[in-house]
């Protein structure tokens, strides 16, 4: 098991004493160490970011326990294990990660985390160059991270996480604010990493097209509890998506329209426009 | 009418520069500016409201040049909503946030409350007057910002990626409001956006790439030119992309299907 939540509640303290806001309620969730691509969705304020921060022990549960690989995180601060191994094994790409760039050069910035995790300078540099190549930013390694375009800064910041090779990647809205190509590149990158290495990826997003194209499992939060945990097809086949304030992916909206208008019966195992075109060809040939 | 004439501006970096850009915006028109990250879109917004000055060229509002001695008058006509809803909320609650702008414009106190009620009602926030910013959603904060601009009686509303930090519901609220400002209240609107579906709704589009204005025209003309869009890291909105991709295949001969796709597009 990679990460396991058992009866987890999280309360935020309120303005007045004894007042608090419930951010997470009775969360039970098991995430495999390998081969999962999970999308966490739900409207603003539903608890998505809080849930994700528990996956890296950035927060302690108010009640319940979170097991992250071999370490068990409990509400009691002094009972908790040292968190370095958790942080090493679970990498967290925050929202707008480029705000956290700070070194003189992109190379130094990428090397910072591996050096902290005990890599030698040579190892850290080799690793930094390897991930820079993977991200297509090897030509800007000697530049200041503050002289880059928005998309390049995002990639440099992501390289800083990939550099220490975490087993699980947490991504909090990795495409937010990027232009359409930048967003597509970033998603393809994570998808390829997932396919090639089997790393589990957990993603928060509001973009249902991304969810439908890439995720193998969807966790829906609604008012601080998990309202759905399962495959993406069933989520959109029923009215569940609507009850949870989600919109249907573009490809499904178009399928609904064509099925209704032309009497087709194209199914929901159609994840992209390319998939849809293949199915339209079949319908056309058989009709 | 706004005229942007041969305007040049650059920071010390290569990015976000504006290189000899000219365009004009007619009264009551809705203009969208699209382009890749760092293409200079937001720099244009900052130039338009005088937050930065052109290093060459000029910006005219109804023939009056934007400069030191005219900037105060022009600012009363032009309101801007920024990307991050938290960076523009100045009051400790909704009422005082809107009052702040009116106070600066020296609107008499007797008129203030009336204006605040009128415009918070228009953006559907009248019941939130005593609410503090941290108790509001991003979409609600952006609506308060828009109410403030309307209360100031601005004719021109600029939205600089005003929906990019919002969730889908917040985005929908703001887009509906922009459409209303345009059609019902005749405001001149400038939206700077990566949201191609939003750009599709506007009257006129500018495409920026590396500081240059590389294409302008009506949405239907812009979104036909996929190569130009792709070269600026953009793409077609989904409904048009479907038509484009399907028509490249043998399915192009299926008239029933193509008609249905065009009909779907027209509903967007």
């Amino acid at each position: 098991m990679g990460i396991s939540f058992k009866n987890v509640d999280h309360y935020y303290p309120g303005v007045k004493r004894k007042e608090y806001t419930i951010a997470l309620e009775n969360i039970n969730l098991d995430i495999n160490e390998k081969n999962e691509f999970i999308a966490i969705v739900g409207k603003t304020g539903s608890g998505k970011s809080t849930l994700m921060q528990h996956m890296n022990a950035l927060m302690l549960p108010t009640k319940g326990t979170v097991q992250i690989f071999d370490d068990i995180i409990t509400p009691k601060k002094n009972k908790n294990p040292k968190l370095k191994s958790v942080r090493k094994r679970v990498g967290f790409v925050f929202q707008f990660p480029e705000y956290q760039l700070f070194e003189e050069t992109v190379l130094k910035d990428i090397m910072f985390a591996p050096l902290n995790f005990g890599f030698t300078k040579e190892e850290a540099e080799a690793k930094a160059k390897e991930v820079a190549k993977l991200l297509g930013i090897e030509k800007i390694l000697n530049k200041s991270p503050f002289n880059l375009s928005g998309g390049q800064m995002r990639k440099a910041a992501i390289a800083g996480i990939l550099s220490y090779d975490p087993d699980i990647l947490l991504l909090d809205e990795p495409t937010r604010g990027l232009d359409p190509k930048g967003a597509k590149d970033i998603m393809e990158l994570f998808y390829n990493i997932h396919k090639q290495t089997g790393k589990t990826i957990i993603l928060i997003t509001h973009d249902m097209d991304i969810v439908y194209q890439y995720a193998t499992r969807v966790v829906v939060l609604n008012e601080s509890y998990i309202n759905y945990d399962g495959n993406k097809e069933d989520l959109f086949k029923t009215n569940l998506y609507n009850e949870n304030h989600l919109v249907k992916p573009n490809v499904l909206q178009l399928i609904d329209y064509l099925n209704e208008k032309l009497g087709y019966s194209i199914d929901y195992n159609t994840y992209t426009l390319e998939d849809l075109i293949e199915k339209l060809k079949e319908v056309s040939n058989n009709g | 009418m706004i005229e942007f004439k041969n305007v040049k501006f650059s920071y010390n970096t290569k990015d976000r520069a504006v290189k000899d850009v000219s365009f004009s915006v007619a009264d009551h028109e809705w203009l969208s500016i699209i382009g890749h990250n760092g293409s200079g879109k937001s720099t244009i917004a900052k130039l338009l409201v005088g937050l930065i000055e052109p290093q060459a060229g000029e910006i005219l509002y109804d023939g009056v040049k934007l400069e030191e001695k005219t900037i105060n008058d022009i600012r009363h006509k032009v309101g801007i909503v920024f990307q991050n809803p938290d960076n523009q909320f100045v009051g400790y609650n909704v009422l005082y946030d809107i009052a702040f702008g009116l106070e600066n414009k020296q609107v008499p106190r007797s008129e203030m409350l009336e204006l605040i009620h009128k415009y918070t009602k228009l953006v559907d926030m009248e019941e939130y007057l005593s609410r503090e910013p941290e108790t509001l959603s991003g979409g609600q904060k952006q609506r308060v910002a828009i109410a403030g601009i309307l209360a100031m009686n601005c004719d021109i509303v600029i939205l600089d990626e005003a929906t990019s930090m919002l969730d889908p519901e917040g985005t929908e609220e703001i887009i509906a409001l922009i459409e209303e400002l345009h059609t019902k209240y005749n405001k001149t609107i400038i939206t700077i956006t990566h949201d191609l579906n939003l750009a599709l709704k506007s009257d006129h589009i500018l495409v920026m790439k590396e500081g240059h204005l590389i294409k302008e025209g009506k949405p239907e003309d812009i979104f036909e030119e996929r190569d130009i869009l792709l070269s600026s890291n953009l793409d077609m909105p989904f409904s048009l992309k479907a038509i484009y991709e399907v028509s490249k295949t043998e399915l192009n001969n299926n008239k029933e299907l193509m008609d249905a796709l065009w009909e779907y597009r027209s509903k967007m």
Side-chain angles (χ1 to χ4, degrees):
Chain A
M1 186 60 59
I3 301 174
S4 177
F5 286 71
K6 292 217 164 41
N7 306 317
V8 170
D9 287 358
H10 190 95
Y11 303 163
Y12 284 114
V15 185
K16 293 179 192 142
R17 264 183 69 170
K18 292 189 180 170
E19 247 185 25
Y20 54 85
T21 314
I22 299 173
L24 292 175
E25 210 176 353
N26 197 28
I27 301 292
N28 286 289
L29 182 66
D30 289 327
I31 294 166
N32 287 322
E33 183 177 344
K34 284 257 173 203
N35 299 319
E36 293 223 62
F37 202 119
I38 302 176
I40 302 175
V41 301
K43 67 187 280 192
T44 303
S46 58
K48 301 185 296 295
S49 288
T50 307
L51 181 69
M52 187 167 270
Q53 289 177 54
H54 277 285
M55 296 177 182
N56 191 23
L58 286 172
M59 286 183 175
L60 300 180
T62 309
K63 286 181 192 159
T65 59
V66 182
Q67 180 167 356
I68 305 171
F69 292 103
D70 303 325
D71 292 313
I72 296 175
I73 313 298
T74 70
K76 294 207 175 85
K77 203 173 178 181
N78 51 12
K79 276 203 167 174
N80 283 305
K82 286 212 162 50
L83 296 172
K84 207 161 185 174
S85 72
V86 167
R87 301 277 152 74
K88 162 80 178 63
R89 298 195 70 179
V90 184
F92 200 138
V93 179
F94 291 98
Q95 264 185 44
F96 296 102
E98 56 274 22
Y99 291 169
Q100 294 164 50
L101 294 166
F102 70 102
E103 276 282 12
E104 289 161 36
T105 66
V106 172
L107 179 66
K108 280 189 181 173
D109 211 290
I110 302 174
M111 284 168 64
F112 181 79
L115 286 173
N116 258 330
F117 286 123
F119 288 50
T120 66
K121 195 161 174 279
E122 289 70 31
E123 285 168 348
E125 189 167 336
K127 197 68 201 174
K129 285 181 173 162
E130 183 191 321
V131 295
K133 201 168 172 201
L134 183 70
L135 283 151
I137 54 168
E138 66 270 35
K139 287 195 181 125
I140 57 166
L141 282 173
N142 294 319
K143 282 196 177 177
S144 158
F146 305 103
N147 276 341
L148 307 176
S149 72
Q152 284 176 328
M153 280 171 97
R154 179 78 48 100
K155 284 181 183 170
I158 288 169
I161 308 295
L162 297 179
S163 62
Y164 53 91
D165 206 21
D167 295 310
I168 292 181
L169 283 170
L170 308 177
L171 315 172
D172 191 353
E173 299 207 52
T175 61
R176 187 175 238 189
L178 294 182
D179 55 41
K181 173 156 191 300
K184 189 165 183 257
D185 287 352
I186 294 281
M187 283 316 302
E188 287 292 318
L189 168 84
F190 286 120
Y191 185 69
N192 288 334
I193 290 173
H194 168 73
K195 277 279 151 203
Q196 282 161 20
T197 64
K199 279 188 205 298
T200 284
I201 289 185
I202 304 161
L203 159 89
I204 293 176
T205 183
H206 285 296
D207 186 332
M208 293 303 130
D209 289 352
I210 286 179
V211 172
Y212 213 64
Q213 183 172 355
Y214 297 104
T216 54
R217 175 178 170 192
V218 186
V219 172
V220 182
L221 283 172
N222 191 339
E223 313 267 342
S224 74
Y225 62 91
I226 293 179
N227 203 23
Y228 180 85
D229 179 359
N231 70 49
K232 54 195 174 188
E233 295 84 358
D234 289 343
L235 175 62
F236 293 106
K237 265 180 208 161
T238 62
N239 203 33
L240 257 171
Y241 74 94
N242 209 359
E243 290 163 14
N244 287 292
H245 310 278
L246 306 171
V247 289
K248 259 192 192 181
N250 270 308
V251 69
L252 298 187
Q253 290 186 38
L254 180 55
I255 288 172
D256 286 352
Y257 184 80
L258 294 175
N259 284 350
E260 160 98 36
K261 181 92 192 167
L262 303 175
Y264 293 170
S265 44
I266 296 168
D267 63 45
Y268 272 17
N269 299 332
T270 312
Y271 307 105
T272 60
L273 184 55
E274 291 73 38
D275 293 349
L276 176 58
I277 290 174
E278 287 313 307
K279 293 200 176 172
L280 286 171
K281 283 180 188 165
E282 282 170 34
V283 173
S284 213
N285 291 336
N286 298 335
Chain B
M1 162 124 141
I2 307 168
E3 290 165 280
F4 211 77
K5 283 187 173 167
N6 304 101
V7 173
K8 290 184 190 171
F9 181 88
S10 82
Y11 296 94
N12 288 328
T13 59
K14 213 172 72 190
D15 234 42
R16 301 189 294 275
V18 170
K19 297 168 184 165
D20 199 4
V21 169
S22 301
F23 62 88
S24 62
V25 192
D27 289 346
H28 317 305
E29 190 176 33
W30 177 355
L31 174 79
S32 280
I33 308 178
I34 60 178
H36 60 86
N37 287 110
S39 61
K41 306 186 295 293
S42 291
T43 305
I44 291 179
K46 292 193 182 89
L47 287 161
L48 280 170
V49 292
L51 286 175
I52 48 178
E53 277 178 62
Q55 289 154 352
E58 55 184 10
I59 301 165
L60 308 171
Y61 282 87
D62 295 328
V64 178
K65 185 176 171 185
L66 176 66
E67 56 192 336
E68 192 79 37
K69 61 176 191 253
T70 59
I71 194 165
N72 278 333
D73 288 341
I74 289 173
R75 275 210 182 135
H76 287 159
K77 290 188 211 168
V78 189
I80 185 163
V81 183
F82 293 103
Q83 178 180 30
N84 187 339
D86 294 319
N87 288 352
Q88 52 200 334
F89 208 103
V90 291
Y92 70 86
N93 66 22
V94 171
L95 178 81
Y96 282 89
D97 190 67
I98 300 174
F100 180 81
L102 296 173
E103 183 105 356
N104 275 340
K105 205 186 167 187
Q106 294 169 349
V107 173
R109 294 219 159 188
S110 52
E111 290 171 27
M112 267 190 201
L113 268 181
E114 198 186 323
L115 284 170
I116 293 170
H117 278 287
K118 181 175 170 189
Y119 289 106
T120 47
K121 191 171 178 189
L122 196 153
V123 301
D124 210 11
M125 288 296 290
E126 201 188 10
E127 279 157 32
Y128 295 82
L129 286 180
S130 61
R131 291 276 290 268
E132 293 159 11
E134 58 272 19
T135 68
L136 302 175
S137 72
Q140 288 173 331
K141 281 181 232 178
Q142 295 297 57
R143 279 176 9 219
V144 172
I146 292 171
I149 289 171
L150 296 174
M152 304 270 288
N153 200 22
C154 297
D155 301 324
I156 301 160
V157 184
I158 301 174
L159 300 109
D160 185 4
E161 305 201 39
T163 59
S164 76
M165 294 186 83
L166 306 181
D167 62 14
E169 270 178 298
T171 303
E172 225 169 87
E173 289 167 18
I174 297 301
I175 292 178
L177 184 54
I178 297 171
E179 289 185 285
E180 198 178 331
L181 295 181
H182 181 235
T183 53
K184 204 164 150 193
Y185 297 92
N186 275 322
K187 301 287 180 190
T188 304
I189 309 274
I190 300 175
T191 43
I192 288 155
T193 186
H194 284 144
D195 183 340
L196 304 170
N197 286 318
L198 174 61
L200 193 56
K201 291 175 194 280
S202 52
D203 302 318
H204 198 83
I205 294 178
L206 308 182
V207 184
M208 293 291 297
K209 181 186 175 186
E210 291 164 9
H212 296 284
L213 173 58
I214 57 164
K215 174 93 187 160
E216 67 172 308
K218 293 195 164 101
E220 52 265 44
D221 300 332
I222 295 289
F223 286 121
E224 253 179 24
E225 306 226 24
R226 187 141 195 245
D227 293 343
I228 289 180
L229 293 168
L230 292 178
S231 84
S232 191
N233 287 0
L234 301 164
D235 205 343
M236 295 170 155
F238 184 85
S239 56
L240 269 175
K241 195 159 119 186
I243 296 171
Y244 178 85
E245 294 291 348
V246 171
S247 68
K248 284 199 305 196
T249 70
E250 75 255 23
L251 291 165
N252 195 29
N253 300 321
N254 184 337
K255 189 170 180 302
E256 189 188 39
L257 173 63
M258 293 310 294
D259 287 349
L261 290 172
W262 276 107
E263 201 178 300
Y264 182 72
R265 146 77 186 94
S266 69
K267 285 177 191 293
M268 285 288 113

